[in-house]
Amino acid sequence: MTADYRDVRVLVTGHTGFKGAWLAEWLLAQGAVVGGLALPPDGPSLYGDLGLDSRTLSVMADILDADATHRAVADFAPDIVFHLAAQSLVRPSYADPAHTFAVNVMGTVNVIEAARAAASVRAVVCATSDKCYENDETGRAFAEGDALGGKDPYSASKGAAEIVAGSYRRAVMPLDRRPRLATVRAGNVIGGGDRALDRLIPDLARAFAAGRAPVLRNPGAVRPWQHVLEPLRGYLALGRALLDGEAVEGPWNFGPNAEAEVTVGEIAGRFARAWGPSAPAPVIEPSPLSEAGMLRLDSAKAAAGLDWRPALGLDEAVAMTADWWRAQIADPAGIAAFTSAQIARYEAGASG
């Protein structure tokens, strides 16, 4: 069952991004009062598709601007903050490591500090990444107590953000006994509306829509694939538990079942089949940049502590994603209603 957020004031940082827009839409459907803090989208976006500019109380500002972040949190006076704003891509982190570390580490510091300063805030959920772990490439699933690290700048920045959040949670926040803080680590999320460059499913959707062959750079890499609504259901359950005073502070994994831990090449093939016979075959262009070869998450803690388990199989997640993209191409004006319907169907199935 999804947690109830009716009349709760919820601030989502990064609500103009892919995952943040889905979260904002789901919260609105539950009757939450939703505010947002993010950079404006730099092109077509799910945020725009859903008309979230007129349905949320949005502030367009950079979380690296500490003063603007403090003002946004203080003015909205949320009960809870979901911190999703980030530099969220591995390859751009090589092009500008300093910016990646600044946004993902100091941006997190600024959001937490703003939450501490706002008397209304009772809970904070910080999203990091499954790549926050020191990956030994053994293929074992990482659990919350495993070592943090990361070779590439993006992964290292997410490990550092976890350390920052852990320091606040264990040493700083107990001094004031508020707010309560948890961090969340999800798998590789897929779903409609993701328009990021250099991310697999958006690249495939753009290529298939244009009738050209997509490019795969690391087809043998294994990732934990899941529909975006799966970890968001976990985030919502965790946030509600924090607000209710349950002993759930700390880090949490929300990953898929083992059958969804497949290679990039396999997920690309499944998406092509779900798209239909018009999908061109991919071409392989290996990348010289280092990325994890195998990544798996152990979500036993979420199952035991939050009664959270994946509700979708991999083929269902892929089909939902392909359905969204085909619907957007066929009827852009109707995509907000289509998105809302996908959330409602998923929520009904997850509660059944």
Side-chain angles (χ1 to χ4, degrees), residues 57-256:
L57 301 171
S58 296
V59 173
M60 296 300 166
D62 193 332
I63 58 171
L64 288 177
D65 184 335
D67 290 339
T69 301
H70 275 250
R71 283 195 302 272
V73 176
D75 289 348
F76 182 68
D79 299 299
I80 184 170
V81 176
F82 286 95
H83 174 43
L84 275 63
Q87 194 299 95
S88 59
L89 299 169
V90 172
R91 283 162 61 86
S93 77
Y94 279 97
D96 195 347
H99 178 70
T100 297
F101 282 110
V103 173
N104 293 349
V105 181
M106 287 310 301
T108 297
V109 170
N110 289 341
V111 170
I112 293 175
E113 283 289 338
R116 288 182 63 221
S120 66
V121 179
R122 294 183 285 139
V124 179
V125 177
C126 290
T128 63
S129 171
D130 57 351
K131 297 176 181 64
C132 70
Y133 294 105
E134 184 62 47
N135 194 342
D136 54 12
E137 298 284 5
T138 62
R140 68 185 180 87
F142 293 108
E144 288 84 351
D146 286 329
L148 301 169
K151 182 185 297 184
D152 60 89
Y154 168 77
S155 301
S157 75
K158 289 300 190 175
E162 282 282 352
I163 292 172
V164 163
S167 175
Y168 272 98
R169 175 177 56 81
R170 292 181 295 168
V172 180
M173 288 175 170
L175 299 176
D176 299 324
R177 293 194 277 280
R178 54 160 300 278
R180 310 180 74 237
L181 185 147
T183 57
V184 291
R185 307 158 181 179
N188 278 39
V189 294
I190 63 176
D194 185 1
R195 290 180 172 85
L197 297 175
D198 223 16
R199 192 178 283 154
L200 179 63
I201 295 299
D203 286 349
L204 292 173
R206 280 187 288 264
F208 294 165
R212 56 180 168 78
V215 175
L216 303 184
R217 66 175 184 267
N218 195 6
V222 174
R223 297 287 184 268
W225 307 96
Q226 59 190 152
H227 193 275
V228 62
L229 293 177
E230 297 271 61
L232 291 183
R233 178 166 53 89
Y235 297 4
L236 290 170
L238 177 60
R240 184 69 259 181
L242 286 169
L243 289 171
D244 291 343
E246 297 180 29
V248 293
E249 293 181 270
W252 295 82
N253 286 343
F254 296 101

Side-chain angles (χ1 to χ4, degrees), residues 47 119 147 167 289 346:
Y47 172 82
S167 175
L289 302 180
Y346 171 80

